[in-house]
Amino acid sequence: MTKQTFLHDKHVELGARMVDFAGWEMPVQYTSIIEEHKAVRNSVGIFDVSHMGEIIIRGEDSLPFLNKIVPQNIADLPTFKAIYCQLTNKNAGIIDDLIIYKLKENEYLIIANASRIDEDLNWMVRNKLGFNVDIINESHNYSLLAVQGPKACELLNHIGITSLPPFFSIKRDELFNINIWISRTGYTGEDGVEILVKNEFSEYLWDKLLELGKDFNIKPIGLGARDTLRLEAALHLYGNDLDENTTPIEAALSWSIPKDKKEEYNGKLVIENQLKNGINKKLIGFKMLDKSIARHGYDIYYDNNKIGIVTSGGFSPSRGDNIGLAYIKNLDNLSVGSTIQIMIRDKLHEAEIIKRPFVTKRNKVNN
Amino acid sequence: MNESMLCTKTHEYILEQDDKYLVGITDYAIEQLGDIVFIELPDIDTEFSKNEAFATIESVKAASEIYMPISGKVLEINEEIVNNPELLNDENYENKWFIKIQSDANQIEFADLLDYSDYKEEIE
């Protein structure tokens, strides 16, 4: 039985094509993925991402508990700030990637991937021994709307959010007399916000944003464009680019790992060892050198040897070419500019390793 | 113009033209695929059996294989739709074929093909 968000009927009314995603019936597109993609790059789009999980960590040991389950240093996180984290197992494999927000002393909000909520909760409960914390799954009580694009903040100012939280921050606010948590985060590489609201107000908020967003050319955006947008921004998709057999170092997430964290955490030995001695596989970005498209699961070759696998791939509406993310053997001679080959339907096609992200991100603004 | 057109339940069509057949996909399939970005066609002279995949369509979302409605040998491929997938929005099926084939298919191969009105009913 697939679950529906509280905005399900709105999507159907708007003519969306609905698909099953992580056990949820979600809109994949309303009109066209390319059109929706361009709306977010050029003006503003609204996404229903209510399938995402919300987990509250509360109690006097919240900080040491979180510090045990992620490699990041939660002690450095000020109130109302957000941090990108990975929930790691003992081998530093990634159980999920998360955004953790500090709401107040001893209270944190975790935004988790829909497909991973149960695994996350199980793992947290298994790690809870000795910590005085409550782990509360609030996923079924909240809807999450993302408003993303270069005009997103202008639109929010226009409808009554007078001061927006800075990049990677959250604040409590009111919109049309509805209590919301609004955070300056997203999954598109554009400026924008995500709005957390109690389920019963989500339809009203959705309608209002679409109606008042008309002057800003707002469009509802499905999961199809969400995927092309995040791929261009080289943001990982759990289940494609991240899994329990991949560490944050291999996944090119070293930037998110503090090198001086004193506390023990799950997978610390592996991460420290990989930082010191290197890794066997690494995440790279590539573009196809012909018109073919490399998809998830296609094999990568170099010098007639299989050296890796594509984890995400597709057409880039902003660039007009075909791009992807892949894991390859960490060979010294393979770096940006190198040519590799990808097996597509029994034929090898050339691709070039290129820099990530694939487009210039425009989300780090502070007004 | 759709009188001689025959369709499969997987949304391919054949259109007879001077003892040869044009093979393509229906408007319904084109709409379902969404934004089409690339079409991969077979080499000329390749022979395919009925129901064998002969082409691949890459939409933004996924790669989809296109199957032969009847067996046959590829005589021509439509380079224009490869260079410009937008042409698939043309209303005339005679302009948006994928391949032209020569076929010795017998009646049995035609048995499960639908004429256009039956196909229309099938997808409604």
Side-chain angles (χ1 to χ4, degrees), chain A residues 79-145:
Chain A
T79 303
F80 298 135
K81 290 296 283 184
I83 183 168
Y84 173 72
C85 299
Q86 305 87 34
L87 189 64
T88 43
N89 62 26
K90 303 279 187 206
N91 302 319
I94 302 170
I95 296 168
D96 198 0
D97 65 333
L98 315 165
I99 305 270
I100 299 181
Y101 299 89
K102 183 174 182 179
L103 300 182
K104 58 182 176 195
E105 282 310 307
N106 298 325
E107 188 169 322
Y108 296 82
L109 164 69
I110 298 177
I111 301 290
N113 285 298
S115 61
R116 303 301 290 172
I117 299 170
D118 292 344
E119 280 80 359
D120 294 355
L121 289 167
N122 281 338
W123 182 250
M124 287 180 204
V125 169
R126 277 175 60 186
N127 280 275
K128 181 177 177 290
L129 195 68
F131 293 101
N132 186 6
V133 287
D134 293 322
I135 301 163
I136 307 153
N137 183 10
E138 287 281 352
S139 305
H140 50 288
N141 291 324
Y142 284 90
S143 296
L144 189 61
L145 308 186

Side-chain angles (χ1 to χ4, degrees), chain A residues 17 28-29 31-35 224 228 291-295 298 313-315 317 322 344-345 347 349, chain B residues 31-38 40-41 43 56-65 82-85:
Chain A
R17 187 176 303 166
V28 64
Q29 67 180 75
T31 52
S32 127
I33 293 175
I34 294 176
E35 262 179 55
T228 54
K291 289 174 94 176
S292 61
I293 299 181
R295 307 269 183 190
Y298 291 7
F315 176 66
N322 300 317
I344 301 173
R345 293 181 288 280
K347 272 187 208 151
H349 293 257
Chain B
E31 196 213 309
Q32 288 296 308
L33 287 166
D35 304 289
I36 292 169
V37 290
F38 179 55
E40 190 178 279
L41 296 180
D43 295 332
T56 305
I57 296 192
E58 295 275 9
S59 70
V60 177
K61 249 181 322 183
S64 309
E65 299 208 301
V82 175
N83 296 329
N84 185 11

Side-chain angles (χ1 to χ4, degrees), chain A residues 260-278:
Chain A
D260 56 353
K261 182 169 165 177
K262 301 278 189 302
E263 293 84 353
E264 291 301 318
Y265 59 84
N266 295 322
K268 188 179 190 183
L269 278 177
V270 175
I271 285 178
E272 283 181 344
N273 180 45
Q274 289 189 338
L275 283 170
K276 194 164 151 228
N277 300 317

Side-chain angles (χ1 to χ4, degrees), chain B residues 62-74:
Chain B
S64 309
E65 299 208 301
I66 309 302
Y67 303 98
M68 287 292 267
I70 53 172
S71 62
K73 182 168 127 181
V74 181

Side-chain angles (χ1 to χ4, degrees), chain B residues 13-114:
Chain B
Y13 70 83
I14 54 171
L15 197 56
E16 195 172 356
Q17 200 179 62
D18 309 325
D19 293 337
K20 315 282 189 301
Y21 294 93
L22 302 178
V23 185
I25 62 169
T26 66
D27 283 343
Y28 177 81
I30 291 161
E31 196 213 309
Q32 288 296 308
L33 287 166
D35 304 289
I36 292 169
V37 290
F38 179 55
I39 300 167
E40 190 178 279
L41 296 180
D43 295 332
I44 289 169
D45 285 341
T46 318
E47 292 192 37
F48 292 98
S49 49
K50 181 180 168 76
N51 297 332
E52 193 178 351
F54 72 92
T56 305
I57 296 192
E58 295 275 9
S59 70
V60 177
K61 249 181 322 183
S64 309
E65 299 208 301
I66 309 302
Y67 303 98
M68 287 292 267
I70 53 172
S71 62
K73 182 168 127 181
V74 181
L75 299 176
E76 267 182 65
I77 59 173
N78 188 349
E79 297 276 7
E80 283 184 46
I81 59 158
V82 175
N83 296 329
N84 185 11
E86 291 273 304
L87 286 178
L88 291 173
N89 299 319
D90 191 307
E91 281 179 9
N92 191 343
Y93 280 110
E94 282 173 44
N95 295 333
K96 53 182 174 180
W97 50 279
F98 283 31
I99 57 174
K100 186 187 274 187
I101 61 166
Q102 185 172 8
S103 179
D104 300 323
N106 60 26
Q107 285 308 308
I108 297 167
E109 290 197 20
F110 284 87
D112 64 348
L113 301 184
L114 307 167

Side-chain angles (χ1 to χ4, degrees), chain A residues 85-330:
Chain A
C85 299
Q86 305 87 34
L87 189 64
T88 43
N89 62 26
K90 303 279 187 206
N91 302 319
I94 302 170
I95 296 168
D96 198 0
D97 65 333
L98 315 165
I99 305 270
I100 299 181
Y101 299 89
K102 183 174 182 179
L103 300 182
K104 58 182 176 195
E105 282 310 307
N106 298 325
E107 188 169 322
Y108 296 82
L109 164 69
I110 298 177
I111 301 290
N113 285 298
S115 61
R116 303 301 290 172
I117 299 170
D118 292 344
E119 280 80 359
D120 294 355
L121 289 167
N122 281 338
W123 182 250
M124 287 180 204
V125 169
R126 277 175 60 186
N127 280 275
K128 181 177 177 290
L129 195 68
F131 293 101
N132 186 6
V133 287
D134 293 322
I135 301 163
I136 307 153
N137 183 10
E138 287 281 352
S139 305
H140 50 288
N141 291 324
Y142 284 90
S143 296
L144 189 61
L145 308 186
V147 184
Q148 302 274 305
K151 300 241 174 91
C153 291
E154 208 182 316
L155 164 63
L156 288 153
N157 285 148
H158 176 74
I159 62 176
I161 305 281
T162 45
S163 87
L164 284 155
F167 182 64
F168 255 65
S169 303
I170 191 167
K171 72 182 279 214
R172 196 101 177 105
D173 213 322
E174 239 179 51
L175 195 53
F176 316 115
N177 297 317
I178 299 167
N179 286 321
I180 56 167
W181 282 102
I182 182 168
S183 72
R184 196 77 165 269
T185 46
Y187 195 47
T188 61
E190 296 295 331
D191 194 10
V193 300
E194 292 174 296
I195 301 171
L196 198 59
V197 62
K198 281 277 179 80
N199 285 331
E200 55 265 41
F201 303 116
S202 64
E203 278 198 316
Y204 183 76
L205 199 54
W206 173 268
D207 283 345
K208 275 289 196 191
L209 284 162
L210 272 182
E211 180 196 327
L212 296 169
K214 270 187 194 148
D215 294 344
F216 300 84
N217 291 319
I218 198 168
K219 267 182 183 293
I221 314 296
L223 292 186
R226 184 168 159 86
D227 192 48
T228 54
L229 288 159
R230 72 91 197 166
L231 180 58
E232 286 184 347
L235 296 166
H236 304 68
L237 172 62
Y238 195 91
N240 274 36
D241 312 307
L242 302 177
D243 60 37
E244 293 194 21
N245 298 313
T246 304
T247 73
I249 312 302
E250 293 163 341
L253 294 169
S254 301
W255 61 268
S256 72
I257 310 280
K259 312 299 181 283
D260 56 353
K261 182 169 165 177
K262 301 278 189 302
E263 293 84 353
E264 291 301 318
Y265 59 84
N266 295 322
K268 188 179 190 183
L269 278 177
V270 175
I271 285 178
E272 283 181 344
N273 180 45
Q274 289 189 338
L275 283 170
K276 194 164 151 228
N277 300 317
I279 46 179
N280 294 324
K281 66 171 181 179
K282 63 179 175 188
L283 181 86
I284 53 137
F286 66 84
K287 69 169 182 194
M288 298 307 299
L289 295 177
D290 60 21
K291 289 174 94 176
S292 61
I293 299 181
R295 307 269 183 190
H296 176 76
Y298 291 7
D299 289 333
I300 298 186
Y301 288 80
Y302 181 73
D303 250 359
N304 296 319
N305 294 311
K306 196 193 150 196
I307 56 152
I309 192 161
V310 175
T311 52
S312 286
F315 176 66
S316 161
S318 303
R319 298 165 51 102
D321 60 0
N322 300 317
I323 56 171
L325 296 172
Y327 283 91
I328 61 168
K329 274 189 195 155
N330 191 13

